[in-house]
Amino acid sequence: MSILASMQKNQLIPEEYKQMSRTELEDRVKEIKNKLGPKLFIPGHHYQKDEVIQFADATGDSLRLAQLSAENTEAEYIVFCGVHFMAETADILTTQNQTVFLPDMRAGCSMADMADLQQTERAWAKLGEMFGDTILPLTYVNSTAAIKAFVGANGGATVTSSNAHTMVKWAFEQKERILFLPDQHLGRNTSFDLGIAPEEMAVWNPINDTIIYEGDISKIKVILWKGHCSVHENFTVQNVHDTRVQFPDMKIIVHPECRREVVELADEAGSTSYIINTIEKAEPGSAWAIGTEMNLVNRIIQQHPDKHIISLNPQMCPCLTMNRIDLPHLVWSLETLGDPENRNIIRVSNEIAEDAKLALERMLANS
Ligand code: 13P
Ligand code: SF4
């Protein structure tokens, strides 16, 4: 949503919160958490800032946060510290009596915005003409609720970076082909790991509704949506080469949202939780270059002074949309929870939620 649209909808934070000291903001969060107890639940994604994550009741990767949302039936207020698609997922998986809030409605995800429903319906119609009823749609959870609903209604499921292998295998038990939305890199990396050859993968360009593929289309097994994460695309083959030259003993671990060439050259690849666990288990004195979002990399560096850890890309920035959730926004959202005018509520319409839940539940049942 644009800043102007947010202002018009009264979704921008009042100035007074921006003027408060860090101590005052922290005291206010503590006070509200004490007052509300288990009526309030604050999940926080690993990419959130330290100033926010310190108040999270639970932290996790996208899968863990979805599982926690499905399990928590107690909290009346869920203040989601993450991005819009995660808060939508929480709303879909919680009960009618629970309300999900996103502290800053501008905290979107550029990857999720790369697949809209109209594009997907057009793609589905064209792919149907080309391949008949042989395709199962899978969508990365980094997608809008409308895309999840489309996928759910067509027999498919959501996937996260930590269960993509399981879900792609599951999909091939249902149909001959998959359409993988919206992250081409996670789809490609997972397919490679499962032994699918490059000539069995095509790319769907949603901008001009065409398939990018040379050869006999009957060989295609995976159709990758032409979307990507603008944060993870900043890790390059050059970064890998520079790291290998400068630190020959350093291991490289990256998120599977990175390009294929980078993942191929890395020593390990996995979800944010996989990266955290791998570094935790690593030998003291070991050296690691990490290819993922910077708030998380900085936290891992601080938590492991016994290891030499750097970002794979020395110029890397945090995810700007994740970063929109800061302490002032957290306090503002906590202090306006009961406000009837509250504009930070995430509510997915019943019609969309019903089908989206099918896609999410198929994933949760397999995770
Ligand atoms: P995971 O935490 O599931 O690895 O996802 C990373 C991500 O991009 C969230 O936006
Ligand atoms: Fe979206 Fe990438 Fe940010 Fe994750 S890191 S929220 S995929 S833009």
Side-chain angles (χ1 to χ4, degrees):
M1 181 177 296
S2 71
I3 295 182
L4 184 64
S6 289
M7 282 172 79
Q8 283 161 348
K9 291 186 85 186
N10 217 358
Q11 286 169 332
L12 287 191
I13 187 168
E15 203 51 38
E16 60 189 272
Y17 288 99
K18 293 193 201 155
Q19 309 303 334
M20 282 176 203
S21 70
R22 178 152 177 166
T23 317
E24 173 161 14
L25 290 164
E26 289 180 339
D27 287 347
R28 287 187 181 213
V29 181
K30 285 178 200 154
E31 195 188 316
I32 295 172
K33 286 191 72 157
N34 279 339
K35 194 169 110 198
L36 293 177
K39 278 170 78 174
L40 170 68
F41 180 55
I42 307 182
H45 186 265
H46 293 309
Y47 291 164
Q48 289 287 292
K49 294 174 175 212
D50 285 344
E51 65 186 44
V52 167
I53 215 84
Q54 64 173 325
F55 292 113
D57 295 306
T59 57
D61 62 6
S62 309
L63 176 63
R64 185 72 199 123
L65 295 178
Q67 287 167 330
L68 286 167
S69 307
E71 284 162 19
N72 186 317
T73 50
E74 195 182 14
E76 207 173 303
Y77 308 110
I78 297 175
V79 177
F80 207 104
C81 294
V83 286
H84 196 272
F85 73 81
M86 297 179 177
E88 278 189 334
T89 299
D91 181 54
I92 294 164
L93 293 173
T94 47
T95 66
Q96 295 287 350
N97 304 330
Q98 298 176 288
T99 310
V100 177
F101 299 82
L102 185 65
D104 187 339
M105 292 302 251
R106 299 167 304 167
C109 164
S110 53
M111 179 202 285
D113 293 339
M114 288 179 195
D116 72 30
L117 188 59
Q118 287 71 29
Q119 291 170 331
T120 308
E121 284 173 343
R122 285 203 306 270
W124 193 244
K126 281 215 170 188
L127 291 169
E129 283 166 21
M130 293 167 83
F131 299 105
D133 181 23
T134 62
I135 311 172
L136 195 87
L138 286 180
T139 185
Y140 194 17
V141 284
N142 300 33
S143 53
T144 63
I147 297 297
K148 292 184 178 81
F150 175 89
V151 166
N154 286 286
T158 57
V159 317
T160 75
S161 51
S162 54
N163 60 21
H165 293 84
T166 311
M167 294 312 297
V168 169
K169 278 195 230 158
W170 171 85
F172 279 117
E173 285 162 18
Q174 333 288 318
K175 291 274 171 82
E176 256 170 78
R177 299 185 170 84
I178 61 167
L179 168 64
F180 193 100
L181 299 120
D183 184 15
Q184 59 173 307
H185 302 307
L186 178 64
R188 186 176 292 114
N189 286 321
T190 309
S191 302
F192 262 100
D193 289 349
L194 294 175
I196 296 166
E199 54 277 15
E200 294 173 317
M201 298 183 219
V203 173
W204 181 263
N205 183 346
I207 304 301
N208 58 11
D209 299 325
T210 52
I211 197 157
I212 305 169
Y213 185 77
E214 277 169 22
D216 171 5
I217 63 160
S218 68
K219 291 207 168 79
I220 296 173
K221 287 172 109 175
V222 175
I223 302 144
L224 304 162
W225 193 265
K226 197 167 186 279
H228 64 267
C229 165
S230 32
V231 176
H232 288 89
E233 274 214 341
N234 290 327
F235 295 104
T236 61
V237 166
Q238 190 61 47
N239 294 146
V240 175
H241 290 322
D242 292 348
T243 307
R244 299 279 189 223
V245 169
Q246 214 186 342
F247 305 106
D249 295 330
M250 191 167 257
K251 284 207 162 182
I252 297 177
I253 184 166
V254 298
H255 195 280
E257 285 175 18
C258 294
R259 296 164 199 266
R260 178 68 205 150
E261 311 86 88
V262 173
V263 171
E264 211 159 57
L265 292 171
D267 299 293
E268 304 227 26
S271 74
T272 52
S273 290
Y274 179 81
I275 294 172
I276 293 169
N277 294 338
T278 305
I279 307 283
E280 257 162 32
K281 282 189 262 156
E283 290 291 309
S286 57
W288 295 87
I290 306 180
T292 197
E293 198 272 345
M294 218 41 224
N295 283 324
L296 175 57
V297 174
N298 282 333
R299 188 170 310 121
I300 295 176
I301 292 172
Q302 277 167 26
Q303 288 171 347
H304 297 275
D306 60 330
K307 291 160 199 163
H308 178 203
I309 302 169
I310 58 168
S311 169
L312 178 59
N313 177 348
Q315 315 298 333
M316 199 61 197
C317 304
C319 168
L320 294 178
T321 47
M322 280 277 178
N323 248 20
R324 288 199 184 274
I325 313 293
D326 56 12
L327 202 44
H329 280 88
L330 178 60
V331 176
W332 173 49
S333 64
L334 290 174
E335 292 192 342
T336 50
L337 288 177
D339 182 348
E341 292 287 291
N342 196 306
R343 305 298 165 114
N344 287 16
I345 294 176
I346 299 290
R347 194 160 282 140
V348 178
S349 73
N350 289 346
E351 199 192 339
I352 290 179
E354 213 170 288
D355 286 339
K357 199 169 180 179
L358 287 176
L360 285 161
E361 284 180 346
R362 287 183 191 124
M363 172 185 79
L364 293 174
N366 281 285
S367 303

